Amino acid sequence: EQETRTSKNTGQFQSNKSEMELWWDDAMDAIIKSLEARGMLNNTVIIYFNDHGVRGKESSYEAGARIPAFMWRQGGFGGGHVSNDLVSTIDVAPTVLELAGIDVSPYRDELDGVSLVQYLEGLPVGEDPNLMPAVGGAVRSHLYIEAPFQRAVVQAGSGWKFSARRFPSGIVPGKEQTLLYHAAKAHPKSFWHGNALFNLVEDPDELNNV
């Protein structure tokens, strides 16, 4: 997604979003055709994710931390199920290693993430013994989110999220900051709170600090 500072209405935002989607679609088409021409498509997994969402840019809000992502290979994965488990970009490295046939168990203490192959293949998901006890057999019970001046923890299965924000002296509460513009604009009630607790089930946009 891409939003300009001069956007006046939702229509302008949707126009920019559509243009970005068109660019992205053309780029993926070029990558797939190049791999196919080189005879490498059958031995390639394409992984896509971005760094943050626009309306939560440079923050740990869901609008910034919850990003679109996918993994694709010719012929597809097993799939066939939907999961609400908490996963993260730190899971990409162990996932790639397992897809490449590398046993990651000897390096478990050096990897922050966990492999997502079980999700991709639609296999039963078991708890990782090296992580805290999870809810309903998920791979993790909590997810830690880190952003400039802000840290947050999301609890799996409950919908609760705690956020702590500490600004340096150069940032004045209530004043527009270029780096934080989108997050502050989208979350006017809670953005300048030092500590915030959100119920993501009842308040998915994180507008009200309970």
Side-chain angles (χ1 to χ4, degrees):
E1 294 178 289
Q2 185 177 23
E3 182 177 21
T4 64
R5 294 288 300 279
T6 57
S7 295
K8 299 298 183 180
N9 51 49
T10 304
Q12 178 63 50
F13 173 74
Q14 292 297 334
S15 176
N16 293 336
K17 181 180 178 181
S18 297
E19 291 171 2
M20 180 62 72
E21 291 173 345
L22 179 60
W23 173 88
W24 177 90
D25 190 60
D26 289 342
M28 289 304 302
D29 181 61
I31 291 173
I32 291 175
K33 286 181 177 177
S34 179
L35 289 168
E36 194 170 29
R38 290 169 169 77
M40 300 171 62
L41 191 59
N42 289 331
N43 194 35
T44 299
V45 174
I46 296 177
I47 302 174
Y48 169 84
F49 58 88
N50 62 355
D51 54 348
H52 54 71
V54 174
R55 290 184 171 86
K57 182 179 176 68
E58 302 292 347
S59 80
S60 62
Y61 285 112
E62 294 293 284
R66 189 181 291 270
I67 59 173
F70 71 78
M71 295 187 184
W72 178 93
R73 70 181 176 193
Q74 194 168 45
F77 290 96
H81 77 294
V82 177
S83 173
N84 292 317
D85 289 352
L86 298 174
V87 298
S88 171
T89 51
I90 62 175
D91 299 327
V92 172
T95 301
V96 170
L97 291 173
E98 184 171 349
L99 287 171
I102 299 174
D103 180 12
V104 299
S105 57
Y107 313 103
R108 188 64 193 87
D109 292 339
E110 302 174 33
L111 294 169
D112 293 322
V114 295
S115 173
L116 302 180
V117 170
Q118 53 194 337
Y119 290 97
L120 296 172
E121 297 293 359
L123 301 174
V125 178
E127 295 182 15
D128 189 310
N130 295 299
L131 299 177
M132 297 173 61
V135 178
V139 295
R140 54 170 57 88
S141 61
H142 297 76
L143 184 63
Y144 176 72
I145 304 172
E146 184 174 355
F149 320 126
Q150 188 176 21
R151 306 293 184 266
V153 177
V154 182
Q155 185 180 43
S158 71
W160 288 107
K161 178 178 181 179
F162 175 76
S163 172
R165 188 188 299 275
R166 301 293 185 270
F167 290 113
S169 58
I171 294 182
V172 180
K175 289 190 176 182
E176 178 184 317
Q177 307 289 332
T178 302
L179 182 67
L180 308 170
Y181 173 79
H182 294 292
K185 182 179 179 182
H187 307 85
K189 291 184 179 180
S190 63
F191 184 80
W192 300 105
H193 294 181
N195 297 318
L197 180 64
F198 300 105
N199 185 325
L200 299 179
V201 176
E202 299 178 359
D203 180 27
D205 294 325
E206 296 168 287
L207 299 178
N208 301 300
N209 179 5
V210 301

